[in-house]
Amino acid sequence: MSYRERIGAQLADLKLPGAMEALDGILARIDGGELAGADAIEALLGSQIELRNQRRLQTAMRSSRLPAIKTLADFDFTFQPSIKREQIESLHQLGFVERKENVIFLGPPGVGKTHLALSLAVATAQGGRRIYYGSLADLIDSLEEAQTSGRLNQRLKTLTYPALLVVDEIGYLPITRNGAMLFFQLMSRRYEHGSTVLTSNKGFEEWGSIFGDDVMASALIDRLLHHCHIVNIRGNSYRMKNHTELYKTLNYESEDLQTHGKTTRTRRRKETATT
Ligand SMILES: Nc1ncnc2c1ncn2[C@@H]1O[C@H](COP(=O)(O)OP(=O)(O)O)[C@@H](O)[C@H]1O
Ligand SMILES: [Mg+2]
């Protein structure tokens, strides 16, 4: 039996399909002198880990309500200079999840708050931990629904269980007093129990009016901030980046219209004249 056959049989025995899939390519690179020794072992094991992480993410996507897969690799730091790259990279090492700390992304619309919250959730899922995603409004809706049907405790448990919960879009939609109380209960349960990543377009000083109650909002902020990393993003909307380009194009077009407008108008008048 050749090396290839023996290693292939071992990988099959251990049920490592990712490594098996990569084996031929890695052996070819070893033959080609591109890869040797420990690098080859690392590449083989790395292929298996990649497949496992991919599967973990697929499983998480089915149950976590994650709206999209966003990654740190897709994030353009040059567009958002107010963000400290080292801080974001360090958060993606997920020590904060182990320590059950929170992360809050604050900033105006389009600066990448949801993107970074999602990429932290993706990394957590790939690490094999449970995640869950919801906008504040959706989470409160689900809590109110559970309350009406007498299953609030169950729902609170479900939302307390994940190692990482994303609470997106605090401040976009008004919430009822009952909704605010339910959310407060959820955050009290999660406090020192699991990490929560929150995003808001409003500063903390405005959270009182979002939650309709200054006292509750400050008790909430107090718990959230106890073990917390705050990422304040000051910058332009990434969505507007494309719009700015579009806007420029439109502007050029309207300039074109201005220069050609006369002829168009004259032509139109002529057409009217003939009909
Ligand atoms: N710095 C960036 N690099 C790459 N894509 C970005 C960046 N910032 C935002 N985006 C993208 O722009 C869109 C809007 O960003 P999002 O995270 O939803 O903004 P926010 O939640 O702050 O309103 C998303 O599709 C996101 O992936
Ligand atoms: Mg957002």
PDB file of all heavy atoms in Angstrom, residues 108-115 133 168-169 172 199-200 239, ligand 2:
ATOM      1  N   PRO A 108     -24.101  55.995  13.391  1.00  0.00           N
ATOM      2  CA  PRO A 108     -25.185  56.301  12.457  1.00  0.00           C
ATOM      3  C   PRO A 108     -25.436  55.150  11.478  1.00  0.00           C
ATOM      4  O   PRO A 108     -24.641  54.216  11.417  1.00  0.00           O
ATOM      5  CB  PRO A 108     -24.681  57.563  11.739  1.00  0.00           C
ATOM      6  CG  PRO A 108     -23.206  57.553  11.905  1.00  0.00           C
ATOM      7  CD  PRO A 108     -22.929  56.861  13.196  1.00  0.00           C
ATOM      8  N   PRO A 109     -26.525  55.216  10.713  1.00  0.00           N
ATOM      9  CA  PRO A 109     -26.843  54.135   9.781  1.00  0.00           C
ATOM     10  C   PRO A 109     -25.762  53.899   8.735  1.00  0.00           C
ATOM     11  O   PRO A 109     -25.113  54.841   8.275  1.00  0.00           O
ATOM     12  CB  PRO A 109     -28.123  54.631   9.097  1.00  0.00           C
ATOM     13  CG  PRO A 109     -28.710  55.615  10.024  1.00  0.00           C
ATOM     14  CD  PRO A 109     -27.560  56.262  10.730  1.00  0.00           C
ATOM     15  N   GLY A 110     -25.557  52.622   8.406  1.00  0.00           N
ATOM     16  CA  GLY A 110     -24.711  52.261   7.271  1.00  0.00           C
ATOM     17  C   GLY A 110     -23.219  52.176   7.546  1.00  0.00           C
ATOM     18  O   GLY A 110     -22.432  51.932   6.643  1.00  0.00           O
ATOM     19  N   VAL A 111     -22.816  52.351   8.814  1.00  0.00           N
ATOM     20  CA  VAL A 111     -21.370  52.375   9.083  1.00  0.00           C
ATOM     21  C   VAL A 111     -20.795  50.983   9.358  1.00  0.00           C
ATOM     22  O   VAL A 111     -19.601  50.838   9.618  1.00  0.00           O
ATOM     23  CB  VAL A 111     -21.018  53.324  10.263  1.00  0.00           C
ATOM     24  CG1 VAL A 111     -21.277  54.771   9.870  1.00  0.00           C
ATOM     25  CG2 VAL A 111     -21.775  52.942  11.521  1.00  0.00           C
ATOM     26  N   GLY A 112     -21.646  49.958   9.324  1.00  0.00           N
ATOM     27  CA  GLY A 112     -21.120  48.601   9.463  1.00  0.00           C
ATOM     28  C   GLY A 112     -21.408  47.937  10.810  1.00  0.00           C
ATOM     29  O   GLY A 112     -20.816  46.903  11.127  1.00  0.00           O
ATOM     30  N   LYS A 113     -22.338  48.494  11.581  1.00  0.00           N
ATOM     31  CA  LYS A 113     -22.654  47.914  12.896  1.00  0.00           C
ATOM     32  C   LYS A 113     -23.184  46.491  12.762  1.00  0.00           C
ATOM     33  O   LYS A 113     -22.710  45.572  13.426  1.00  0.00           O
ATOM     34  CB  LYS A 113     -23.684  48.785  13.642  1.00  0.00           C
ATOM     35  CG  LYS A 113     -23.264  50.223  13.854  1.00  0.00           C
ATOM     36  CD  LYS A 113     -24.311  51.012  14.618  1.00  0.00           C
ATOM     37  CE  LYS A 113     -25.654  51.151  13.928  1.00  0.00           C
ATOM     38  NZ  LYS A 113     -25.603  51.899  12.656  1.00  0.00           N
ATOM     39  N   THR A 114     -24.178  46.325  11.893  1.00  0.00           N
ATOM     40  CA  THR A 114     -24.764  44.989  11.717  1.00  0.00           C
ATOM     41  C   THR A 114     -23.735  44.038  11.114  1.00  0.00           C
ATOM     42  O   THR A 114     -23.633  42.881  11.527  1.00  0.00           O
ATOM     43  CB  THR A 114     -26.027  45.075  10.828  1.00  0.00           C
ATOM     44  OG1 THR A 114     -26.966  45.941  11.470  1.00  0.00           O
ATOM     45  CG2 THR A 114     -26.657  43.710  10.625  1.00  0.00           C
ATOM     46  N   HIS A 115     -22.977  44.539  10.145  1.00  0.00           N
ATOM     47  CA  HIS A 115     -21.940  43.706   9.519  1.00  0.00           C
ATOM     48  C   HIS A 115     -21.008  43.110  10.573  1.00  0.00           C
ATOM     49  O   HIS A 115     -20.769  41.899  10.608  1.00  0.00           O
ATOM     50  CB  HIS A 115     -21.151  44.576   8.523  1.00  0.00           C
ATOM     51  CG  HIS A 115     -20.139  43.812   7.716  1.00  0.00           C
ATOM     52  ND1 HIS A 115     -20.107  43.841   6.345  1.00  0.00           N
ATOM     53  CD2 HIS A 115     -19.117  42.994   8.091  1.00  0.00           C
ATOM     54  CE1 HIS A 115     -19.120  43.068   5.914  1.00  0.00           C
ATOM     55  NE2 HIS A 115     -18.494  42.559   6.957  1.00  0.00           N
ATOM     56  N   TYR A 133     -29.884  35.519  16.494  1.00  0.00           N
ATOM     57  CA  TYR A 133     -29.945  36.885  16.005  1.00  0.00           C
ATOM     58  C   TYR A 133     -31.378  37.399  16.014  1.00  0.00           C
ATOM     59  O   TYR A 133     -32.311  36.668  15.666  1.00  0.00           O
ATOM     60  CB  TYR A 133     -29.423  36.956  14.565  1.00  0.00           C
ATOM     61  CG  TYR A 133     -29.684  38.295  13.906  1.00  0.00           C
ATOM     62  CD1 TYR A 133     -28.731  39.302  13.948  1.00  0.00           C
ATOM     63  CD2 TYR A 133     -30.915  38.566  13.296  1.00  0.00           C
ATOM     64  CE1 TYR A 133     -28.987  40.543  13.370  1.00  0.00           C
ATOM     65  CE2 TYR A 133     -31.170  39.810  12.716  1.00  0.00           C
ATOM     66  CZ  TYR A 133     -30.207  40.784  12.764  1.00  0.00           C
ATOM     67  OH  TYR A 133     -30.453  42.008  12.217  1.00  0.00           O
ATOM     68  N   ASP A 168     -30.025  43.540  17.334  1.00  0.00           N
ATOM     69  CA  ASP A 168     -29.712  44.531  16.310  1.00  0.00           C
ATOM     70  C   ASP A 168     -30.750  45.656  16.341  1.00  0.00           C
ATOM     71  O   ASP A 168     -31.899  45.446  16.751  1.00  0.00           O
ATOM     72  CB  ASP A 168     -29.722  43.825  14.940  1.00  0.00           C
ATOM     73  CG  ASP A 168     -28.886  44.556  13.897  1.00  0.00           C
ATOM     74  OD1 ASP A 168     -28.206  45.534  14.259  1.00  0.00           O
ATOM     75  OD2 ASP A 168     -28.912  44.137  12.728  1.00  0.00           O
ATOM     76  N   GLU A 169     -30.323  46.831  15.899  1.00  0.00           N
ATOM     77  CA  GLU A 169     -31.244  47.945  15.618  1.00  0.00           C
ATOM     78  C   GLU A 169     -32.008  48.452  16.827  1.00  0.00           C
ATOM     79  O   GLU A 169     -33.241  48.582  16.791  1.00  0.00           O
ATOM     80  CB  GLU A 169     -32.220  47.544  14.500  1.00  0.00           C
ATOM     81  CG  GLU A 169     -31.466  47.213  13.227  1.00  0.00           C
ATOM     82  CD  GLU A 169     -32.355  46.999  12.021  1.00  0.00           C
ATOM     83  OE1 GLU A 169     -33.576  46.868  12.192  1.00  0.00           O
ATOM     84  OE2 GLU A 169     -31.808  46.955  10.916  1.00  0.00           O
ATOM     85  N   TYR A 172     -34.431  52.106  16.296  1.00  0.00           N
ATOM     86  CA  TYR A 172     -35.091  52.413  15.022  1.00  0.00           C
ATOM     87  C   TYR A 172     -36.601  52.470  15.164  1.00  0.00           C
ATOM     88  O   TYR A 172     -37.248  53.314  14.566  1.00  0.00           O
ATOM     89  CB  TYR A 172     -34.708  51.390  13.944  1.00  0.00           C
ATOM     90  CG  TYR A 172     -33.357  51.669  13.344  1.00  0.00           C
ATOM     91  CD1 TYR A 172     -32.267  50.847  13.620  1.00  0.00           C
ATOM     92  CD2 TYR A 172     -33.165  52.767  12.516  1.00  0.00           C
ATOM     93  CE1 TYR A 172     -31.023  51.113  13.075  1.00  0.00           C
ATOM     94  CE2 TYR A 172     -31.923  53.046  11.970  1.00  0.00           C
ATOM     95  CZ  TYR A 172     -30.853  52.212  12.252  1.00  0.00           C
ATOM     96  OH  TYR A 172     -29.628  52.480  11.718  1.00  0.00           O
ATOM     97  N   THR A 199     -26.492  46.589  18.714  1.00  0.00           N
ATOM     98  CA  THR A 199     -26.174  47.722  17.846  1.00  0.00           C
ATOM     99  C   THR A 199     -27.232  48.797  18.029  1.00  0.00           C
ATOM    100  O   THR A 199     -28.408  48.491  18.248  1.00  0.00           O
ATOM    101  CB  THR A 199     -26.136  47.347  16.336  1.00  0.00           C
ATOM    102  OG1 THR A 199     -27.477  47.351  15.817  1.00  0.00           O
ATOM    103  CG2 THR A 199     -25.482  46.001  16.088  1.00  0.00           C
ATOM    104  N   SER A 200     -26.790  50.045  17.963  1.00  0.00           N
ATOM    105  CA  SER A 200     -27.746  51.149  18.078  1.00  0.00           C
ATOM    106  C   SER A 200     -27.272  52.366  17.309  1.00  0.00           C
ATOM    107  O   SER A 200     -26.076  52.647  17.247  1.00  0.00           O
ATOM    108  CB  SER A 200     -27.961  51.520  19.548  1.00  0.00           C
ATOM    109  OG  SER A 200     -28.900  52.579  19.637  1.00  0.00           O
ATOM    110  N   ARG A 239     -23.420  52.337   2.671  1.00  0.00           N
ATOM    111  CA  ARG A 239     -24.485  52.305   1.666  1.00  0.00           C
ATOM    112  C   ARG A 239     -24.401  53.548   0.785  1.00  0.00           C
ATOM    113  O   ARG A 239     -24.584  53.478  -0.407  1.00  0.00           O
ATOM    114  CB  ARG A 239     -25.855  52.279   2.340  1.00  0.00           C
ATOM    115  CG  ARG A 239     -26.124  51.015   3.138  1.00  0.00           C
ATOM    116  CD  ARG A 239     -27.584  50.938   3.557  1.00  0.00           C
ATOM    117  NE  ARG A 239     -27.813  49.859   4.495  1.00  0.00           N
ATOM    118  CZ  ARG A 239     -27.919  50.033   5.796  1.00  0.00           C
ATOM    119  NH1 ARG A 239     -27.827  51.239   6.315  1.00  0.00           N
ATOM    120  NH2 ARG A 239     -28.110  48.998   6.575  1.00  0.00           N
TER     121      ARG A 239
HETATM  122 MG    MG B   2     -27.832  47.692  11.018  1.00  0.00          MG
END
